[in-house]
Amino acid sequence: MGFLENKARARVFYRYFSNLYDTVNPFIWNEQMRDQALEWFDIDAGDRVLDVGCGTGFATEGILQYTDDVHGLDQSDGQLSKAFAKFGRDGDVRFYRGDAERLPFADDTFDKLWSSGSIEYWPNPVAALEEFRRVTKPGGTVLVVGPDYPDSVVFQKLADAIMLFYDEEEGDRMFTEAGYEEFDHHIQQRKPGTPRAITTVATVPEAEPDAETESPVPSP
């Protein structure tokens, strides 16, 4: 487990990094990559969308181009203070301070759920993905963006020491263990030689009917 796959350490890190986040972020995850992911996310007007690990609101701004019912959650006071400065505490987005592994929402609250640049800090990614499935309506979309595992052995060792980096095979394992049956991975990159993102678009399974309440099949 990497050094920053720890909630307390991640909070301390972002207490300081939040001041530089909007300057550094475009070199790793820019508007073109975000907008491509938003096309895959396929928001309908009026969808209620949760942005988990919303940070300063970079993805939130993109989501607002499609729907007005947007909610953002982050565990970092530093990141949320920057988001409040952008959107206002009483603006178009409702913000919450919370934990991705224990979302403070009822089952089936949202039509779609987005999370970019957050999974790499989760101590238990499968638990968070299960929470995403719980709070998103059956048939809804869950989109997660994380750092793709580097090819270089040197960078692999560095990545493992810092936070969660994962490839498509590991993505398959995590999403399958979390109960998703349909998902696709997309590799995104600002330009050759820059860090790659792995963007997974998953569908929340439809609820299985309760065998005790199913209508009997009529006899022919």
Side-chain angles (χ1 to χ4, degrees):
M1 182 175 288
F3 181 79
L4 289 178
E5 287 178 78
N6 174 286
K7 295 169 188 175
R9 290 179 193 143
R11 281 195 296 270
V12 172
F13 173 74
Y14 271 104
R15 186 182 303 163
Y16 301 99
F17 186 62
S18 60
N19 294 317
L20 300 173
Y21 184 84
D22 286 336
T23 301
V24 174
N25 189 55
F27 293 97
I28 302 170
W29 173 250
N30 62 15
E31 286 190 15
Q32 184 177 359
M33 296 166 74
R34 179 199 66 186
D35 292 347
Q36 176 63 73
L38 282 167
E39 290 185 21
W40 296 325
F41 198 41
D42 194 24
I43 303 170
D44 292 323
D47 276 349
R48 175 171 291 178
V49 179
L50 176 63
D51 182 2
V52 176
C54 62
T56 64
F58 176 69
T60 315
E61 290 176 308
I63 295 169
L64 280 169
Q65 298 174 25
Y66 296 86
T67 180
D68 295 329
D69 196 353
V70 182
H71 303 251
L73 178 141
D74 204 284
Q75 70 153 353
S76 167
D77 289 330
Q79 293 286 79
L80 286 175
S81 68
K82 297 296 182 182
F84 290 143
K86 282 184 184 179
F87 299 97
R89 290 180 179 270
D90 299 313
D92 294 331
V93 182
R94 184 171 180 182
F95 289 101
Y96 313 79
R97 186 180 183 280
D99 186 336
E101 295 175 10
R102 292 188 295 274
L103 296 175
F105 308 106
D107 295 0
D108 304 341
T109 297
F110 300 97
D111 298 293
K112 291 182 169 65
L113 188 150
W114 169 290
S115 182
S116 53
S118 182
I119 187 173
E120 55 263 41
Y121 303 105
W122 305 341
N124 190 341
V126 172
L129 294 174
E130 288 174 342
E131 277 289 88
F132 290 8
R133 182 167 58 85
R134 179 184 67 79
V135 303
T136 306
K137 296 175 182 177
T141 303
V142 168
L143 182 145
V144 176
V145 183
D148 187 44
Y149 203 57
D151 296 325
S152 163
V153 174
V154 173
F155 283 109
Q156 287 174 0
K157 291 181 179 180
L158 180 61
D160 291 340
I162 298 173
M163 60 181 68
L164 174 67
F165 285 70
Y166 59 98
D167 57 15
E168 294 187 42
E169 183 177 355
E170 178 65 5
D172 287 348
R173 183 195 67 79
M174 292 190 297
F175 276 84
T176 299
E177 284 191 15
Y180 297 87
E181 299 167 359
E182 298 179 23
F183 50 83
D184 293 299
H185 305 299
H186 307 268
I187 302 301
Q188 295 185 271
Q189 190 175 27
R190 183 172 62 86
K191 65 179 184 179
T194 61
R196 299 189 303 263
I198 178 168
T199 300
T200 303
V201 184
T203 301
V204 175
E206 297 287 348
E208 295 184 4
D210 189 333
E212 295 182 1
T213 59
E214 284 184 12
S215 300
V217 178
S219 301

